[in-house]
């Protein structure tokens, strides 16, 4: 194999080669053919014409100026120039000339695609949305604060420039400088591939008027213009023969053009939340005056197709929240295909004729007329046809009664399927649900549970009344199941029992025939009696009170007892005769915790007995306590955590006057505990009337009311309530703390922990008694607890009060510092306050 000899390699460096190439380029012009020109081809030229210098020559001149740089330095310089040109080109959107490599290999690189035309919210611009609607047929410009439909929509899709509206000034939507015909590798459709506009959504804008040229979009099926500021609609919309959905709710419309009622394909019409006053269905055939931009008179003018009766295909009509009366509805031409009709929140008034026409609609399924001012007069006339397919009639929140509705449907075939219970489940075949009065929507399982409970209750009553219940025939499998013969082991046990008759005969007959006693838990008994809810317990108390009132009518007020005859607070459960203490059970409001979905039984409150359900709900039921035998010797009354009904119930005024003239309602009450009762500055007081009837309620200040009712009180606990500094008045504190000759002895202990107190200025009037006088006769206050409040400043005059215990932890003040009472206690704190007076 022969070796190919290598070409001679110059011993010079790259720099010498570069200098050689440069010198040869800068020499005299040679007649040798260039690589780009064939040798046998003569190129004509003119010697007189001035020839512009070629880019190749310019580049050669630039190279000669940089010949003194090394090759490595020139490469670095070229790279820097290329980077600078690339950065400039990215900002200007042009092309990038890459000069890497030799002189002849210039590369043209495409710049990056221009960013998509989107606005700040990430949506297409108006012009781009119009362009894209040509390929989709869907034009959505919702929530863009537009004042009208963009004119570019008509120009791009129809080639028509609409007439400018007089009431608005439309902004300009400029055409892009570089039209983007290739976005995301998808070209714009050609004229024969474009789609007709079928969906127009312009909701939640500021549109005040519509262009009449909108009717030129003959393929429109959906027009959504709700939540705008439209006051009128163009009558030219009546020529949209393909329109099926029109939503112009939440606008300012006062009237609808009558020709709109001749739309042949309209199925859904939403006119809710407007200012409409009438519905002239009979004028559906009124002529339409089309503007010149629509009625061009051309040969290919689209044919106008109008219905021969009002809205023949209308299924959903929503007219809620308008000003329509029953007399303003043209009932003689009401659309006959309506399935769902909404007239809620309209002043309908007397509607006998309206119900007569609605009863004849064969496809009507739901009618909503809540808050319409209907009365029983609308249901006096009985039409011959009675709503053949109606499933829901909502006339809630009106003056219509259930008796009037039942009388209205008395002679109708639908009378057997009437139901006045509204549920979330769909109605069964033949059922007609009617909402009357206050509308309460319940789940299907709630109604089913109530039916099962009533059925079970009736079975218990029947079992108690019938001594010899009728025996029902049972099948063989049921008998075998009761005797335990469904398994092989059960058959063996039965065989053993048959073979040993002596054992069975020896047993007493009563033991064999004795029924098994079923022991029930406490929650089962309360569930059967309906006492698991607060409403059930209130109904039980009301029923017991009514039974007690019927059983006995006391003539002497002193002999009258509690409304609940079976309730006795003197039992050992509540009253302790040894300590003379009455403790009523807590009555917290029902929790809002999420109940388990698989259980239909609410969890009963722990620690509550059936007797607790009979205790009156008010926090302080003084009307019941004052009539007990131990009322004249009661010393301690504990009402902690009774938050279900934070009110006070007092006896009648005559009873109070009689009791206070002698020794008071509770003459020996020394301690009252109202901790955690959710009491505020004022409390609702219900007082029994003199001649019986409904108690009279009024609001009074909490401290003033307690001071007047219990003058000999020594310990008052109002911890963890919602008292504020406004309710802590100076007059109320003087009544409590300062002894007087009118049987007021003054408090020894006052606990106000965990409230919402922000200041203690009310104590300053009391401290004035000790200014310059350290001894106040019969002063009894020994303990004051104001912990866990929001007190920002401790008055220095508080140091004048002679107290043994002053608790101030948990407040927001910083002066005096904590170390004052932590080191020296109450005496040191009072001394520190007195020193700052």
């Amino acid at each position: 194999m022969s070796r190919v000899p290598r070409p001679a390699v110059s011993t010079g460096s790259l720099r010498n080669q570069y200098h050689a190439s440069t010198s040869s380029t800068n020499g005299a012009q040679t007649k040798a053919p260039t690589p780009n020109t064939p040798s046998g081809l003569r190129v004509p030229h003119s010697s007189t014409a001035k020839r512009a210098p070629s880019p190749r020559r310019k580049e050669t001149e630039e190279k000669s100026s940089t010949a003194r740089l090394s090759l490595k330095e020139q490469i670095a310089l070229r790279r820097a120039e290329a980077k600078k040109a690339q950065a400039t080109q990215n900002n200007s959107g042009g092309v990038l000339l890459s000069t890497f490599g030799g002189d002849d290999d210039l590369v043209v690189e495409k710049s990056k695609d221009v960013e998509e035309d989107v606005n700040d919210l990430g949506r297409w611009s108006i012009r781009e949305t119009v362009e894209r609607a040509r390929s989709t047929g869907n034009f959505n410009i919702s929530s863009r604060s537009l004042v009208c439909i963009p004119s570019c929509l008509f120009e791009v899709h129809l080639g028509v420039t609409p007439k400018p509206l007089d009431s608005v000034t439309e902004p300009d939507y400029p055409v892009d400088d570089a039209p983007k015909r290739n976005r995301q590798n998808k070209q714009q459709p050609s004229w024969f591939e474009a789609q007709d506009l079928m969906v127009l959504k312009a909701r939640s804008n500021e549109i005040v008027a519509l262009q009449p040229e909108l009717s030129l979009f003959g393929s429109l099926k959906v027009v959504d213009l709700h939540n705008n500021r439209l006051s009128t609609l163009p009558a030219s919309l009546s020529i949209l023969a393909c329109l099926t959905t029109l939503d112009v709710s939440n606008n300012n419309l006062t009237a609808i053009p009558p020709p709109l009622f001749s739309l042949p394909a309209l199925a859904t019409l939403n006119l809710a939340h407007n200012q409409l006053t009438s519905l002239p269905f009979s004028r559906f055939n009124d002529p339409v005056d089309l503007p010149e931009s629509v009625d061009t008179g051309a040969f290919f003018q689209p044919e106008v197709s109008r219905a021969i009766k009002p809205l023949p295909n209308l299924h959903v009509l929503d007219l809620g929240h308008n000003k329509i009366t029953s007399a303003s509805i043209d009932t003689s031409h009401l659309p006959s295909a309506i399935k769902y009709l909404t007239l809620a929140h309209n002043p309908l008034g007397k509607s006998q004729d309206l119900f007569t026409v609605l009863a004849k609609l064969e496809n009507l399924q739901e009618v909503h007329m809540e808050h319409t001012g209907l009365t029983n007069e609308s249901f006096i006339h009985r039409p011959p046809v009675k709503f053949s397919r109606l499933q829901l009639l909502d006339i809630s929140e009106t003056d219509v009664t259930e008796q009037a509705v039942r009388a209205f449907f008395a002679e109708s075939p639908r009378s057997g399927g009437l139901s006045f219970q509204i549920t979330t489940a769909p109605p069964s075949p033949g059922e007609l649900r009617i909402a009357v009065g206050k509308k309460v929507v319940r789940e299907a399982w709630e109604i089913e549970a109530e039916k099962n409970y009533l059925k079970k209750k009736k079975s218990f009553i029947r079992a108690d009344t019938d001594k010899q219940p009728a025996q029902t025939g049972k099948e063989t499998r049921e008998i075998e199941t009761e005797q335990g013969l469904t398994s092989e082991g059960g058959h063996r046990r039965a065989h053993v029992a048959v073979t040993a008759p002596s054992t069975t005969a020896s047993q007493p007959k009563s033991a064999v025939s004795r029924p098994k006693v079923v022991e029930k838990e406490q929650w089962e008994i309360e569930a059967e009696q309906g006492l698991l809810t607060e409403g059930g317990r209130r109904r039980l108390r009301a029923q017991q009170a009514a039974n007690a009132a019927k059983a006995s009518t006391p003539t002497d007020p002193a002999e009258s007892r509690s409304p609940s005859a079976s309730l006795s607070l003197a039992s050992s459960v509540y009253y302790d005769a040894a300590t003379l203490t009455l403790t009523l059970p807590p009555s917290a409001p029902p929790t809002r915790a999420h109940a388990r979905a698989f259980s239909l039984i609410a969890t009963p409150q722990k620690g509550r007995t059936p007797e607790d359900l009979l205790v009156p709900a008010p926090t302080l039921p003084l009307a019941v306590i004052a009539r007990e035998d131990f009322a004249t010797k009661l010393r301690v009354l504990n009402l902690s955590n009774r938050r279900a009904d934070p009110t006070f119930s007092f006896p009648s005024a005559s009873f109070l006057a009689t009791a206070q003239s002698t020794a008071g309602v509770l003459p020996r009450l020394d301690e009252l505990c109202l901790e955690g009762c959710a009491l505020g500055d004022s409390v609702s007081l219900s007082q029994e009337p003199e001649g019986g009837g409904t108690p009279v309620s009024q609001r009074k200040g909490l401290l003033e009311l307690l001071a007047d009712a219990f003058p000999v009180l020594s310990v008052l606990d109002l911890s963890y309530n919602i008292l504020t500094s406004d309710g802590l008045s100076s007059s109320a504190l003087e009544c409590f703390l300062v002894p007087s000759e009118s049987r007021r002895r003054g408090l020894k202990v006052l606990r106000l922990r965990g409230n919402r107190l922000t200041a203690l200025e009310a104590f300053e009037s009391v401290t004035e008694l000790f200014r310059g006088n350290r001894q106040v006769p019969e002063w009894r206050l020994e303990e004051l607890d104001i912990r866990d409040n929001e007190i920002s400043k401790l008055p220095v005059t508080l140091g004048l009060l002679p107290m043994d215990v002053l608790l101030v932890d948990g407040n927001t003040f910083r002066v005096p510092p904590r170390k004052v009472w932590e080191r020296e206690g109450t005496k040191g704190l009072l001394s520190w306050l007195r020193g700052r007076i």
Side-chain angles (χ1 to χ4, degrees):
M1 186 172 179
S2 61
R3 178 185 294 269
V4 179
R6 291 185 177 183
V9 181
S10 175
T11 58
S13 62
L14 294 176
R15 178 179 299 182
N16 296 332
Q17 297 179 14
Y18 180 77
H19 289 325
S21 63
T22 305
S23 59
S24 62
T25 305
N26 295 335
Q29 295 182 357
T30 178
K31 296 182 179 179
T34 61
N36 297 332
T37 306
S39 58
L41 183 64
R42 301 181 62 181
V43 180
H45 63 279
S46 174
S47 59
T48 58
K50 294 183 179 180
R51 182 177 300 177
S54 62
R56 183 181 180 88
R57 187 172 181 180
K58 287 184 178 181
E59 189 176 355
T60 304
E61 294 176 358
E62 291 177 0
K63 286 184 178 181
S64 62
S65 62
T66 58
R68 287 174 291 182
L69 298 177
S70 64
L71 182 61
K72 191 176 296 185
E73 291 173 346
Q74 292 183 28
I75 293 174
L77 180 61
R78 292 291 183 88
R79 288 179 177 175
E81 292 176 354
K83 289 182 180 180
K84 183 177 180 181
Q86 182 179 6
T88 305
Q89 192 64 30
N90 289 340
N91 295 332
S92 61
V95 296
L96 175 62
L97 296 178
S98 178
T99 57
F100 293 109
D103 299 338
D104 298 332
D105 53 354
L106 296 178
V107 180
V108 179
E109 296 183 356
K110 291 184 178 181
S111 62
K112 296 183 179 180
D113 295 336
V114 184
E115 297 182 357
E116 301 294 348
D117 186 17
V118 295
N119 60 6
D120 296 339
L121 297 179
R123 300 177 299 190
W124 301 107
S125 64
I126 297 296
R127 177 70 65 167
E128 185 66 20
T129 305
V130 171
E131 292 287 347
R132 288 177 173 268
R134 294 186 62 199
S135 59
T136 61
N138 189 341
F139 184 56
N140 190 348
I141 51 172
S142 303
S143 303
R144 292 178 181 257
S145 301
L146 301 178
V147 294
C148 66
I149 303 297
S151 299
C152 56
L153 175 67
F154 304 91
E155 298 171 357
V156 173
H157 286 252
L158 301 176
V160 175
T161 302
K163 183 180 179 181
L165 297 172
D166 299 335
S167 56
V168 296
T169 302
E170 182 181 4
D172 295 332
Y173 304 106
V175 183
D176 300 338
D177 296 336
K180 308 171 188 63
R181 293 298 180 186
N182 187 2
R183 290 186 183 277
Q184 299 180 358
N185 300 326
K186 293 182 181 180
Q187 295 183 356
Q188 293 291 336
S190 304
W191 64 270
F192 56 87
E193 297 176 345
Q195 298 288 332
D196 292 339
L197 188 64
M198 293 184 292
V199 178
L200 172 62
K201 295 182 179 180
R203 58 180 179 268
S204 301
N205 283 288
E206 302 293 332
I207 299 176
V208 297
L210 296 176
Q211 295 92 333
E213 291 81 5
L214 190 63
S215 59
L216 294 177
F217 293 99
S219 299
L220 269 180
K221 294 184 178 181
V222 177
V223 176
D224 187 358
L225 296 169
H226 82 268
N227 196 16
N228 280 284
R229 298 169 57 188
L230 294 172
S231 57
T232 58
L233 292 176
S236 60
L237 295 179
S238 59
I239 67 175
L240 295 175
C242 297
L243 188 64
T244 60
T245 302
L246 177 60
D247 188 354
V248 289
S249 58
N250 291 89
N251 281 279
N252 300 325
L253 298 176
T254 57
I256 298 295
L260 286 183
F261 297 135
S262 64
L263 290 170
L266 189 64
T268 302
L269 178 58
N270 191 350
L271 300 172
H273 293 274
N274 281 286
Q275 306 293 327
L276 301 179
T277 57
S278 61
L279 294 173
F281 290 112
S282 60
R283 297 174 52 193
F284 72 99
N285 208 14
D286 286 3
V288 182
D289 296 332
L290 299 178
E292 295 180 358
S293 57
V294 178
D295 189 7
T296 58
F299 180 77
F300 294 103
Q301 182 74 15
E303 181 182 359
V304 178
S305 176
R306 301 180 64 179
I308 59 175
K309 61 179 181 179
L311 301 174
N313 292 315
L314 185 65
H315 293 161
V316 180
L317 178 58
D318 191 350
L319 298 167
H321 296 270
N322 280 282
K323 299 179 180 180
I324 302 174
T325 60
S326 180
S328 62
I329 302 176
D330 192 355
T331 56
S332 60
H333 291 78
L334 195 67
S336 59
I338 293 179
K339 293 183 179 180
Y340 306 97
L341 176 62
T342 301
L343 289 169
H345 296 270
N346 279 288
L348 291 181
K350 243 174 137 178
S351 306
Q352 294 182 7
D353 298 338
L354 178 61
F355 277 101
T356 303
V357 175
L358 292 179
K360 298 179 182 180
L361 299 180
E362 298 179 354
N363 299 322
L364 190 61
Q365 297 180 9
E366 291 186 10
V367 179
H368 296 270
M369 292 184 174
E370 60 269 20
H371 292 89
T372 52
L374 294 177
T375 60
N376 292 334
E377 297 180 359
S378 301
F379 293 88
I380 296 177
H381 181 62
R382 300 176 183 176
V385 182
K386 294 293 185 179
F387 302 98
S388 57
R389 295 187 181 180
L390 189 62
Q391 297 178 352
L392 176 62
L393 177 59
D394 190 352
I395 49 176
S396 58
E397 305 298 336
T398 60
D399 296 335
V400 181
T401 60
E402 181 179 344
Q403 293 77 9
V405 176
R406 289 188 181 275
F408 183 74
F409 287 94
E411 300 177 359
S412 173
R414 305 299 303 275
S415 59
L418 296 183
S419 175
F420 292 87
Q421 294 179 346
I422 307 300
T423 65
T424 56
S428 57
E431 181 184 5
L432 174 55
R433 293 179 180 174
I434 302 177
V436 179
K438 185 178 181 180
K439 186 177 180 180
V440 179
V441 181
R442 297 195 294 177
E443 298 286 345
W445 65 264
E446 294 181 282
I447 298 179
E448 187 67 22
E450 184 178 356
K451 290 181 180 179
N452 293 339
Y453 166 70
L454 295 176
K455 184 178 179 181
K456 188 176 181 180
K457 184 177 180 181
K458 291 180 180 178
S459 63
F460 279 122
I461 296 175
R462 190 182 301 110
D464 294 338
T465 55
D466 299 340
K467 296 182 179 180
Q468 297 180 355
Q471 299 293 333
T472 59
K474 297 183 180 180
E475 297 181 1
T476 305
R477 62 178 182 81
E478 295 178 336
I479 299 175
E480 291 180 355
T481 303
E482 293 178 356
Q483 296 178 358
L485 302 178
T486 56
S487 61
E488 187 64 28
H491 284 288
R492 287 197 298 269
R493 287 190 293 271
H495 180 70
V496 172
V498 171
T499 56
S502 59
T503 306
T504 307
S506 62
Q507 295 180 357
K509 184 177 181 180
S510 60
V512 177
S513 61
R514 182 180 304 164
K516 183 179 179 181
V517 179
V518 180
E519 296 182 359
K520 297 182 180 180
E521 297 184 5
Q522 183 63 33
W523 67 267
E524 293 180 304
I525 299 175
E526 293 181 359
E528 293 177 357
Q529 297 176 357
L531 301 179
L532 289 181
T533 61
E534 187 64 28
R537 291 191 286 270
R538 286 198 298 267
R539 287 191 292 270
L540 178 61
R541 288 194 294 267
Q543 183 178 2
Q544 290 177 348
N547 295 338
K550 293 179 181 179
S552 60
T553 55
T555 56
D556 189 2
E559 296 179 359
S560 60
R561 289 293 180 261
S562 171
S564 177
S566 61
L567 174 64
S568 177
L569 297 181
S571 63
S572 58
V573 180
Y574 309 116
Y575 180 66
D576 188 359
T579 59
L580 302 177
T581 301
L582 176 64
T583 303
L584 296 185
S587 59
T591 60
R592 297 183 179 179
H594 178 67
R596 287 179 283 185
F598 55 80
S599 176
L600 303 182
I601 301 174
T603 304
Q605 297 183 4
K606 296 182 179 180
R608 292 179 64 87
T609 61
E611 291 80 4
D612 296 346
L613 304 176
L614 305 178
V615 177
T619 300
L620 177 57
L622 190 60
V624 179
I625 300 174
R627 293 186 173 90
E628 295 291 340
D629 297 334
F630 58 80
T632 56
K633 52 184 178 181
L634 184 64
R635 300 294 299 273
V636 179
L637 180 57
N638 187 2
L639 303 174
S640 301
N641 297 321
R642 293 182 56 81
R643 302 189 302 272
D645 187 10
T647 60
F648 289 177
S649 175
F650 274 38
S652 59
S654 60
F655 183 85
L656 288 176
T658 304
Q660 291 179 357
S661 62
T662 56
V665 182
L666 301 178
R668 297 187 180 182
L669 185 63
D670 188 67
E671 180 177 350
L672 176 60
C673 181
L674 293 170
E675 179 182 353
C677 294
L679 298 175
D681 298 338
S682 61
V683 66
S684 178
L685 173 63
S686 61
Q687 193 170 11
E688 295 179 350
E690 297 294 340
T694 305
V696 180
S697 299
Q698 56 181 341
R699 298 196 68 85
K700 287 189 176 182
L702 176 62
L703 297 180
E704 290 85 349
L705 183 61
L706 294 178
D708 295 338
F710 311 111
V712 297
L713 204 61
S714 298
V715 179
L716 177 60
D717 190 353
L718 293 174
S719 302
Y720 298 104
N721 285 282
I722 51 177
L723 289 173
T724 63
S725 299
D726 297 335
L728 201 66
S729 60
S730 302
S731 58
L733 286 178
E734 290 182 2
C735 294
F736 266 122
L737 302 179
V738 180
S740 63
E741 298 179 356
S742 59
R743 298 183 296 111
R744 287 190 182 134
R745 297 186 298 180
L747 288 177
K748 287 185 178 181
V749 178
L750 178 59
R751 299 188 180 100
L752 300 173
R753 181 179 183 179
N755 283 276
R756 300 178 182 177
L757 302 179
T758 57
L760 297 176
E761 282 79 2
F763 284 89
E764 294 183 358
S765 61
V766 180
T767 57
E768 291 296 330
L769 300 175
F770 295 90
R771 188 180 294 274
N773 181 17
R774 296 296 301 161
Q775 299 294 333
V776 175
E778 299 182 0
W779 176 260
R780 303 178 63 201
L781 186 63
E782 300 174 357
E783 178 183 345
L784 177 60
D785 188 357
I786 54 174
R787 291 177 293 178
D788 300 330
N789 281 280
E790 301 175 1
I791 301 174
S792 59
K793 181 180 179 181
L794 204 62
V796 295
T797 56
L798 203 63
L800 298 177
L801 299 180
M803 292 182 291
D804 296 336
V805 179
L806 176 60
L807 304 176
V808 296
D809 287 337
N811 286 281
T812 59
F813 63 84
R814 295 187 178 182
V815 177
R818 178 182 294 273
K819 62 182 179 181
V820 173
W821 66 82
E822 286 183 347
R823 294 179 181 178
E824 303 178 12
T826 302
K827 291 186 179 179
L829 176 60
L830 295 178
S831 177
W832 189 93
L833 293 174
R834 286 194 300 270
R836 269 69 180 174
I837 297 177

